[in-house]
């Protein structure tokens, strides 16, 4: 049954209001307290409409649209009522500096529409510009509460409130100055503010964009869709794409505001070649010829094992694909890897071992379906803010939340339970929870019988494990472990959101495998609202690995030794790839340090700052005969290169990124790259041409067609014309396939999924008497990885340096005050950092970010790595502290 609004037929949807239905029809009903996506308040009454058969008008924002209803949104009576209501509102708020303007803010447009005049003596602006990204002008505020609802409902931050007497309400934000508030600059309040009382500073004094381009954010692996406003070749604004599946119009501070790096004067604009010890600008022809000649010489002299390549998780799928193709075809080496090795390799290996597929089984929409969310070794509100906000919102809606992390992350404040385990003790903790579930009979026997193997051996193993031993090892008491097991048992299938706190450990692969055991016991994998959801760090780290940037697997995770794969690759490439597995990223540096690896091509990774055991990395880079770097800036790695190719950034090139839920999305150039900088894929193709490769000059869409041909099981149906809108989630094996939001719904890729008995192996960094503190490294909200982009934006004002988090009691014991500069020393290096006292970190542990090169955080991390995945141990380093001299 249909209804009608202003004579236009519309089919009511469940729970939909008249205002929401009108917006669907592009019928504009004025409203100053309600905004799309927010719970209606019904306070301003401007959205009153007439309903046939009803004596009085009703508020469209709260009135449901019922089948058969006949709605009128415009009439002389409604116009008079709205004009009176708006006039009264203007009088209540005194001398608002607003005037009727069809092109102004939302309230000014409504004033013009209803012919309501502005104040004859408007109050002057009283701008609070203390925040680097947002401004607040209380003179323009009408206390409509939209920002209150947006902050509560979308970001979950609850920064705003309305204070003061009823006749003089005012917007409060918990601090004297807006810059000192708890605001995380997501911009949701700005998007809904009808008066521009809250506004974006990056729009200040900038003309409105001449055009917008839809693309994918170039920061973390969430994969938010963005609308890039640009004018005369410059980015002037970025907003979230309304209705996008990933972010639904919402963005974090980095995605929305931290775009000044694009036009930084520090951008590389010409190729650089090392001559007489110095990097000097040269022509593209000179740089390309030099790289091709030197690679060929080294290959001829030392063979294929002397060359290696690291593709970029910041660049496109197409660029990653071409770089590994070049080294496998022209040089005959599988020495190709990427930064996934040092962050997600443990996760991918564990998931592939347990289920047959090394990627997320769940999708982001499962957050809204979940009844229990387990966040283990991840800090979503800081490292993946849009997903963190979705998790927090789901908890407010009634889902249960279990946080497992050594630090008291922000989500722990809204969790049912927080297990603050000792760093690197995930395996005994997950084993204990599994044992308790089996002991209570709280496991899905039918699921295990029909879809899994190894349960009996696993249960037998756990019977030999002691709960008391687990409590002692993890630092989590037996009662808390039982409470966590009860929480899981009461809920059943759960969504396991996990991150680098599980993978970047000596026992990283086993940590994720142990979590998989819990997911299988509860029948979680392959079910809606449940499963494994690893959070991917960089914008295209998932895609980079998908493309074959790994020494043991080809594009689409295909086996090097499979004859069918070899035959298909030979057909597509014109030759078969080498059969022998190559070196991993850490192994390449080991080989370079001892002179076996002589040439290395690094695409968009600052390994000198980001990789563990910094002194070893620097030694390896120095010993190379040829180091080629593609970069935006002269990073710590680029400074050591023999050739630097200036690269186009995420907003300056075409291609695709793949996010953490396996969603392949378009990337589009909104502005040109500066100077002579070029997209990575074009540069690789030019070098390949000089090396005699018979590659046609092709657009990114053509490269994706080749990827589909090479790996049809995952990408056979992925073509650019199908990626409009929200893209496709692999596997997508054919042109009529819709993509796969959720893996393993009908069975596992490996056959039955496997449960694995796992014994705890302590890191060599535990129990070092001379270094009594355990250091954890990681990200903070304001910056991204090594900070090469965010340090060139106003984000630098939010976090101008790295800080060492230390528990107040530990600080007392070390006679350390907040802000004191300390020496931090491990067995591998010694650095300085400023202390920040925090009770979010447990006693005996420390936390330090790695965003600023002068901190040299990874001078502290050592050679320890997971023997299975080769992932370095960033999360457990034994250190001691020493106060710096005044």
């Amino acid at each position: 049954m249909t209804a009608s609004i202003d004579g236009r037929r519309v089919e009511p949807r469940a729970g939909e209001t008249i205002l929401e239905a009108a917006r669907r029809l592009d019928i504009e009903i004025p409203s100053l307290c309600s905004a799309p996506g927010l719970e209606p308040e019904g306070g301003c009454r401007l959205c009153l409409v007439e309903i046939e058969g009803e004596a009085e008008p009703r508020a469209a924002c709260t009135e449901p649209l019922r089948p058969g209803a006949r709605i009128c949104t415009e009439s002389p009576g409604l116009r008079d009522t709205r004009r009176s209501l708006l006039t009264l509102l203007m009088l209540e708020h005194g001398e608002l500096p607003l005037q009727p303007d069809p092109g102004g803010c939302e309230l000014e447009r409504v004033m013009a529409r209803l012919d309501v005049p502005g104040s004859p003596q408007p109050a002057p602006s009283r701008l609070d510009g203390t925040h680097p990204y947002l401004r607040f002008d209380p003179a323009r505020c009408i206390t409509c509460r939209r920002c209150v609802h947006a902050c509560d409902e979308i970001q979950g931050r609850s920064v705003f409130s309305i204070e003061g007497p009823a006749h003089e309400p005012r917007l409060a934000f918990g601090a004297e100055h807006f810059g000192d508030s708890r605001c995380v600059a997501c911009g949701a309040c700005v998007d809904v503010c009808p008066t521009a009382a809250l506004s974006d500073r990056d729009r200040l004094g900038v003309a409105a964009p001449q055009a917008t381009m839809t693309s994918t954010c170039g920061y973390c692996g969430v994969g938010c869709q963005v609308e890039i406003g640009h004018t005369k070749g410059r980015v002037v604004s970025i907003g979230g794409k309304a209705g996008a599946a990933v972010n639904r119009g919402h963005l974090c501070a980095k995605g929305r505001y931290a775009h000044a790096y694009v036009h930084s004067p520090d951008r590389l604009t010409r190729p650089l070649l090392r001559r007489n010890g110095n990097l000097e600008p040269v022509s593209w022809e000179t740089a390309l010829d030099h790289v091709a000649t030197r690679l060929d010489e080294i290959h001829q002299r030392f063979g294929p094992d002397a060359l290696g390549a690291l593709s970029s998780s910041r660049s496109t799928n197409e660029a990653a694909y071409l770089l590994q193709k070049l080294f496998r075809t022209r040089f005959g080496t599988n020495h190709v890897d990427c930064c996934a090795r040092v962050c997600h390799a443990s996760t991918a290996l564990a998931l592939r071992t347990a289920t047959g597929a090394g990627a997320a089984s769940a999708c982001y929409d499962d957050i809204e379906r979940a009844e229990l969310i387990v966040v283990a070794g991840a800090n979503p509100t800081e490292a993946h803010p849009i997903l963190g906000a979705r998790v927090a919102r789901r908890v407010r809606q009634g889902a249960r939340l279990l946080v497992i992390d050594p630090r008291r992350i922000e989500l722990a404040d809204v969790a049912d339970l927080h297990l603050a385990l000792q760093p690197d003790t995930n395996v005994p903790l997950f084993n204990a929870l599994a044992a308790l579930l089996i002991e209570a009979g709280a496991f899905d026997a039918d699921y295990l019988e029909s879809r899994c193997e190894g349960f009996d051996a696993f249960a037998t193993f756990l019977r030999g494990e002691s709960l008391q031993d687990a409590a002692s090892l993890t630092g989590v008491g037996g009662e808390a472990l039982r409470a966590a097991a009860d929480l899981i048992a009461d809920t059943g299938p759960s969504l396991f959101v996990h991150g680098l706190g599980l993978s970047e450990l000596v026992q990283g692969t086993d940590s994720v495998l142990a979590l998989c055991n819990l997911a299988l016991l509860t029948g979680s994998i392959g079910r809606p609202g449940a499963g494994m959801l690893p959070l991917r760090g960089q914008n295209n780290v998932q895609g980079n690995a998908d493309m074959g940037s790994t020494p043991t697997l080809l594009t689409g995770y295909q086996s090097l030794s499979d004859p069918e794969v070899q035959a298909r690759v030979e057909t597509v490439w014109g030759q078969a790839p080498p059969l022998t597995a190559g070196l991993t990223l850490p192994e390449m540096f080991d080989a370079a340090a001892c002179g076996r690896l002589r040439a290395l091509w690094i695409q968009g990774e600052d390994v000198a700052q980001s990789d563990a055991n910094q002194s070893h990395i620097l030694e390896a880079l120095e010993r190379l005969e040829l180091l080629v770097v593609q970069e935006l800036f002269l990073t710590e790695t680029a400074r050591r290169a023999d050739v630097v190719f200036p690269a186009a950034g995420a907003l300056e090139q075409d291609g695709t990124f793949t996010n953490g839920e396996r969603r392949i999305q378009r990337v589009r150039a909104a502005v040109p790259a500066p100077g002579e900088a070029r997209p990575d894929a074009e540069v690789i193709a030019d070098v390949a041409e000089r090396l005699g490769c018979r590659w046609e000059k092709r657009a990114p869409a053509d490269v994706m067609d080749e990827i589909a041909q090479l790996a049809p099981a995952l990408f056979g149906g992925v073509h650019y014309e199908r990626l409009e809108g929200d893209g496709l989630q692999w596997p997508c094996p054919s042109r009529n396939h819709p993509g796969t939001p959720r893996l393993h719904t009908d069975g596992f890729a490996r056959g039955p999924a496997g449960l694995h008995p796992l014994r705890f192996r302590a890191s060599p960094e535990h129990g070092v008497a001379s270094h009594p503190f355990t250091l954890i490294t990681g990200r903070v909200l304001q910056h991204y990885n090594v900070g090469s982009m965010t340090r060139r934006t106003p984000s630098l004002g939010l976090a101008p340096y790295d800080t060492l988090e230390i528990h107040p009691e530990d600080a007392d014991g070390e006679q350390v005050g907040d802000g004191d500069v300390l020496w931090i020393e491990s067995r591998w290096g010694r650095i300085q950092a400023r202390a920040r006292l925090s009770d979010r970190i447990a006693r005996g542990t420390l936390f330090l970010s790695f965003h600023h090169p002068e901190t040299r955080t990874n001078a502290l991390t050592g050679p320890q790595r997971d023997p299975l995945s080769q992932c370095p141990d960033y999360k457990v380093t034994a250190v001691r502290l020493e106060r710096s001299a005044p």
Side-chain angles (χ1 to χ4, degrees):
M1 294 180 65
T2 61
S4 73
I5 302 178
D6 291 345
R8 296 174 59 182
R9 295 178 64 182
V10 59
E11 186 173 338
R13 295 176 178 175
E16 188 177 44
T17 65
I18 293 172
L19 183 60
E20 290 168 333
R23 286 175 178 146
R24 265 203 294 137
L25 299 175
D26 291 325
I27 295 173
E28 187 176 353
I29 301 174
S31 174
L32 293 179
C33 65
S34 177
L38 301 181
E39 289 295 318
E41 185 171 278
C44 73
R45 313 301 286 177
L46 289 181
C47 67
L48 290 173
V49 295
E50 295 171 348
I51 304 174
E52 186 176 282
E54 299 284 347
E56 299 291 335
R58 300 294 180 90
C61 67
T62 56
E63 187 71 19
L65 179 64
R66 296 182 173 86
R70 299 292 179 262
I71 313 297
C72 173
T73 72
E74 286 288 346
S75 71
L78 287 173
R79 178 179 176 83
D80 289 344
T81 300
R82 290 171 180 161
R83 190 174 190 276
S84 298
L85 288 168
L86 185 55
T87 300
L88 180 60
L89 182 147
M90 301 291 291
L91 290 172
E92 287 177 348
H93 288 278
E95 301 170 344
L96 286 169
L98 303 171
Q99 298 296 327
D101 182 358
C105 67
E106 183 179 347
L107 179 51
E108 288 175 323
R109 297 195 300 271
V110 175
M111 291 168 65
R113 176 178 171 179
L114 298 177
D115 195 25
V116 174
S119 171
Q121 293 182 320
S125 292
R126 294 181 280 125
L127 278 176
D128 181 336
T130 54
H131 195 288
Y133 284 132
L134 293 92
R135 301 182 307 158
F136 174 57
D137 185 354
R140 300 176 72 94
C141 181
I142 59 171
T143 57
C144 64
R145 297 179 57 85
R146 277 192 187 179
C147 60
V148 177
H149 289 295
C151 195
D152 288 352
E153 297 170 23
I154 298 174
Q155 184 59 39
R157 194 70 178 171
S158 300
V159 169
F160 301 106
S161 62
I162 305 298
E163 294 183 354
H167 64 283
E168 285 186 17
R170 65 180 182 85
L171 185 67
F173 36 78
E176 183 179 355
H177 301 292
F178 191 54
D180 298 325
S181 71
R182 298 178 64 249
C183 174
V184 293
C186 73
C189 57
V190 175
D191 286 341
V192 301
C193 181
T195 66
L198 289 157
S199 59
D200 297 316
R201 290 191 66 165
D202 64 344
R203 277 96 163 147
L204 182 64
V206 177
Q210 293 177 335
T212 59
M213 178 68 75
T214 301
S215 190
T216 305
C217 181
Y219 279 108
C220 78
V222 172
C224 295
Q225 289 293 283
V226 294
E227 297 283 4
I228 307 161
H230 55 97
T231 298
K232 298 180 179 179
R234 293 188 66 86
V235 175
V236 296
S237 64
I238 296 181
K241 179 174 174 55
V246 171
N247 55 308
R248 305 168 183 179
H250 191 205
L251 290 177
C252 74
K254 292 187 284 288
R256 182 180 178 109
Y257 295 116
H259 53 77
Y261 75 91
V262 175
H263 306 296
S264 168
D266 294 342
R267 284 291 299 273
L268 294 170
T269 59
R270 293 185 62 188
L272 302 175
L273 175 64
R274 189 170 297 280
R275 289 172 170 166
N276 300 318
N278 298 312
L279 286 171
E280 299 177 357
V282 295
S283 69
W284 270 106
E285 292 298 314
T286 299
L288 293 167
D289 288 344
H290 181 85
V291 169
T293 300
R294 292 291 291 127
L295 286 173
D296 191 44
E297 287 175 352
I298 293 169
H299 182 238
Q300 292 295 328
R301 286 166 52 208
F302 302 107
D305 288 343
L307 299 96
L310 304 178
S311 59
S312 175
S313 295
R314 308 264 291 281
S315 193
T316 63
N317 284 320
E318 293 74 14
Y321 173 79
L322 290 181
L323 188 62
Q324 60 87 34
K325 177 184 177 181
L326 173 64
F327 276 73
R328 281 180 159 131
T329 57
R330 178 59 175 79
F331 301 119
T333 181
N334 283 315
H335 292 354
V336 292
D337 211 348
C338 65
C339 76
R341 179 67 51 196
V342 300
C343 52
H344 300 291
S346 302
T347 298
L349 177 57
L351 291 173
R352 190 161 56 247
T353 300
T355 69
S361 72
C363 61
Y364 297 161
D365 283 351
D366 283 317
I367 294 172
E368 281 73 32
R369 294 170 175 254
E371 295 301 322
L372 172 64
I373 301 173
V374 179
V375 175
N379 188 5
T381 59
E382 294 204 59
H384 305 84
I386 298 305
L387 292 190
R390 287 179 69 169
V391 169
R393 184 163 59 248
R394 178 62 187 138
V395 172
R396 290 194 302 274
Q397 293 169 348
R400 314 294 297 276
L401 175 63
L402 170 61
V403 170
I404 302 172
D405 199 282
R407 296 172 73 211
R408 187 173 180 81
I409 61 172
E410 188 176 43
L411 284 176
D413 294 340
V414 297
D416 293 81
L417 188 62
H418 171 215
L419 303 183
L421 75 170
Q422 291 295 314
D424 189 39
T425 59
N426 300 295
V427 169
L429 187 139
F430 296 150
N431 279 347
L433 295 180
L436 289 167
L437 291 175
I438 293 174
E439 178 186 286
F443 54 89
D444 191 328
D446 291 340
Y447 182 95
L448 293 168
E449 174 68 24
S450 63
R451 302 192 58 181
C452 304
E453 63 183 8
F455 173 74
D456 290 340
F458 181 60
T460 300
F461 162 75
L462 290 180
R463 281 196 290 272
E465 296 289 291
S466 162
L467 183 64
Q468 290 74 21
D469 288 347
S472 176
L473 285 169
T474 64
V476 178
E479 289 187 9
L481 290 171
R482 289 191 181 279
D486 289 345
L487 186 59
I488 296 171
D490 289 345
T491 312
S494 305
L495 182 63
F496 295 89
V497 178
H498 50 108
L500 304 186
L502 267 60
S503 61
E504 291 182 339
L505 296 166
V506 166
Q507 205 174 6
T509 303
D510 284 356
S511 291
V512 181
L513 267 174
L515 191 67
C516 288
N517 288 338
L518 285 177
L520 294 173
L521 281 177
T522 53
S524 297
I525 300 179
R527 288 179 168 168
M532 306 298 289
L533 187 59
L535 302 182
R536 299 311 194 194
Q538 297 199 50
N539 52 300
N540 199 38
V541 68
Q542 181 67 57
N544 198 355
D546 294 346
M547 292 301 104
S549 301
T550 175
T552 58
L553 297 168
L554 294 167
T555 307
Y557 305 100
Q558 299 177 103
S559 170
L560 289 168
S561 59
D562 186 324
E564 182 180 338
V565 173
Q566 283 274 324
R568 181 167 56 250
V569 175
E570 185 171 6
T571 299
V572 177
W573 284 356
Q575 67 185 84
L579 290 169
T580 304
L583 298 177
T584 64
L585 185 156
E587 290 170 338
M588 281 192 238
F589 288 126
D590 292 345
C594 67
R596 288 189 293 113
L597 190 81
R598 296 172 180 268
L600 184 61
W601 184 318
I602 299 179
Q603 184 188 77
E605 296 296 337
D606 188 8
V607 296
Q609 187 181 341
S610 65
D611 281 35
N613 199 10
Q614 187 180 79
S615 61
H616 178 60
I617 301 299
L618 297 181
E619 177 190 2
L621 295 178
E622 290 298 326
R623 291 210 61 183
L624 290 167
E625 290 187 26
L626 177 66
L627 175 59
V628 180
V629 172
Q630 290 178 280
E631 256 299 353
L632 305 181
F633 302 99
L634 197 63
T635 62
E636 297 301 302
T637 303
R639 293 179 193 278
R640 293 163 170 81
D642 298 289
V643 179
V644 182
F645 291 136
L651 307 184
E652 302 159 347
Q653 61 181 313
D654 292 332
T656 57
F657 294 157
T658 306
N659 76 351
E661 58 171 352
R662 299 167 283 99
R663 187 184 298 272
I664 304 168
Q665 300 181 108
R666 282 296 313 277
V667 181
R668 298 176 177 87
V671 294
E676 299 176 21
R678 299 176 58 196
D680 296 330
E682 291 182 10
V683 177
I684 298 162
D686 280 350
V687 172
E689 182 180 22
R690 283 165 169 76
L691 287 165
C693 299
R694 297 179 180 177
W695 296 1
E696 296 180 8
K697 290 277 188 177
R698 292 176 300 171
D702 299 317
V703 178
M704 182 56 73
D705 288 345
E706 181 177 309
I707 294 165
Q709 189 180 1
L710 192 77
L714 293 193
F715 311 122
V718 179
H719 303 276
Y720 269 35
E721 67 271 16
R722 298 195 66 206
L723 296 179
E724 298 301 320
D726 290 318
L728 290 166
Q729 290 169 273
W730 65 256
C732 181
S734 62
R735 280 191 176 267
N736 60 356
H737 194 283
T740 309
R742 196 173 290 108
L743 295 182
H744 315 303
T745 56
D746 299 319
F748 292 98
R750 54 158 275 176
L755 290 143
H756 291 78
L758 301 161
R759 296 198 180 278
F760 175 55
R761 293 179 288 107
S763 166
E765 295 294 309
H766 281 307
V768 181
S770 58
H771 296 71
F773 289 97
T774 299
L775 176 69
I776 304 168
T777 69
R779 289 187 195 174
V780 299
L781 173 67
Q782 295 81 4
H783 288 291
Y784 174 73
N785 282 11
V786 296
S788 59
M789 297 190 296
T790 53
R791 283 185 286 104
R792 292 171 171 91
T793 73
S795 292
L796 185 62
L798 292 170
Y801 44 79
D802 293 307
T803 57
L804 180 76
E805 286 187 18
I806 180 171
H807 191 278
E809 293 182 20
D810 286 334
D812 286 344
E814 297 290 320
Q815 297 183 322
V816 170
D818 198 57
D820 285 355
V821 176
L822 301 176
W823 283 105
I824 313 162
E825 184 178 285
S826 72
R827 292 178 292 169
W828 324 108
R830 179 177 166 90
I831 68 169
Q832 284 184 307
R834 195 170 305 196
R836 182 163 74 88
L837 275 58
S838 171
D839 58 7
R840 288 191 175 270
I841 196 79
R843 289 200 63 185
T845 60
L846 308 167
F847 177 84
L848 181 63
S849 54
F850 56 95
H851 303 300
H852 297 263
E854 58 271 20
T855 307
R856 298 173 50 249
T857 298
N858 280 308
L860 297 174
T861 53
Q864 320 295 353
R865 63 182 79 148
D866 184 327
L868 301 175
S869 68
Q870 294 294 300
C871 185
D873 189 348
Y874 290 98
K875 303 305 182 189
V876 179
T877 302
V879 299
R880 62 186 176 197
L881 302 178
E882 179 183 324
R883 293 187 64 189
S884 298

